[in-house]
Amino acid sequence: MATISPRLALIVGSLALGLSSGAQAEATPEMLGNTCAGCHGTLGQSNGPASPTIAGINRDVFIDTMERYKSGDIYSTIMGRIAKGYTTEEFEKMADFFNTQEFVPAKQAYAEALVEQGAKLHDKQCESCHAEGGMPLKDEETGEDAEEFFLLAGQWTPYLQFTLQDFREERREMPKKMRDKLEAVLKSDGEDGVAALLAFYASQQ
């Protein structure tokens, strides 16, 4: 079997590294975004139900979430491993890509009898942080995100249920304000209140 001299091996290795780095540097936001399609759907529009739609996601929320998955600060079954394969610059490109896609609410069944109750609970407990039911918010003049929003209205219900369960079972750290609001909902309406909120978000189609 032919052997490769150390000098030739070094040259080949350097070329391979250069090609790899060059290809990585040339990756466009669309190319990077397409790597997420297997779970989050084409253009970030998930076919559900456990994977969230990320089309239209707030740019800062996306970057922060991915960085925290990468560091292990956010509990995950899969995303932590996936996030380790990307750089901060790539997260930023992906955030730009998904932020500019149109968010299309998931077409799903929901408990219609609970929607009115959920709407009232949202207005009372959640609206201050999740304006417009948690829909994407844009500044009319600049077209930029109006605030750091989280996609709730029209999001897949199973995904919201799993995420809320992670918070409640302390696999993810729940912000104090969110904890206070959740406790208020549970005190006034019990678990039916949580179900009503989920029905309200699912109804935003």
Side-chain angles (χ1 to χ4, degrees):
M1 181 181 293
T3 59
I4 300 177
S5 70
R7 183 171 181 274
L8 182 56
L10 179 62
I11 293 173
V12 172
S14 298
L15 285 172
L17 180 62
L19 287 172
S20 175
S21 299
Q24 189 175 39
E26 294 171 5
T28 65
E30 183 176 7
M31 290 168 60
L32 290 166
N34 286 339
T35 66
C36 306
C39 292
H40 296 281
T42 304
L43 305 181
Q45 191 60 48
S46 171
N47 291 320
S51 296
T53 289
I54 54 177
I57 191 170
N58 178 278
R59 188 178 185 278
D60 293 335
V61 167
F62 180 91
I63 296 169
D64 179 66
T65 300
M66 293 300 292
E67 292 285 13
R68 294 177 66 195
Y69 274 134
K70 185 175 181 178
S71 68
D73 287 346
I74 296 182
Y75 165 82
S76 69
T77 54
I78 298 174
M79 283 303 305
R81 285 173 286 170
I82 293 175
K84 285 181 171 62
Y86 296 92
T87 65
T88 296
E89 181 182 2
E90 288 170 332
F91 289 154
E92 292 171 349
K93 288 183 177 181
M94 294 161 79
D96 289 338
F97 174 75
F98 289 118
N99 179 254
T100 58
Q101 305 308 314
E102 180 183 2
F103 175 79
V104 179
K107 301 300 182 184
Q108 58 186 323
Y110 57 90
E112 294 184 22
L114 296 178
V115 172
E116 184 177 353
Q117 177 188 3
K120 290 178 180 178
L121 285 170
H122 172 83
D123 289 345
K124 183 177 181 180
Q125 303 293 352
C126 310
E127 179 70 17
S128 61
C129 292
H130 302 290
E132 300 299 324
M135 289 291 286
L137 300 175
K138 299 290 184 180
D139 185 288
E140 293 183 0
E141 294 184 1
T142 67
E144 299 293 326
D145 290 344
E147 58 182 76
E148 193 173 282
F149 57 81
F150 292 81
L151 298 173
L152 296 179
Q155 188 59 273
W156 286 104
T157 296
Y159 164 72
L160 293 180
Q161 288 174 320
F162 295 146
T163 302
L164 184 57
Q165 185 175 359
D166 286 341
F167 277 123
R168 297 181 69 178
E169 296 181 1
E170 299 184 349
R171 287 188 290 269
R172 293 180 63 168
E173 183 178 357
M174 189 184 304
K176 183 181 184 304
K177 188 172 183 179
M178 177 182 174
R179 184 178 299 280
D180 291 343
K181 296 295 186 180
L182 177 59
E183 288 177 354
V185 169
L186 291 171
K187 184 177 180 179
S188 64
D189 293 68
E191 293 295 338
D192 287 345
V194 176
L197 281 170
L198 293 174
F200 167 65
Y201 297 134
S203 73
Q204 307 303 295
Q205 298 182 21

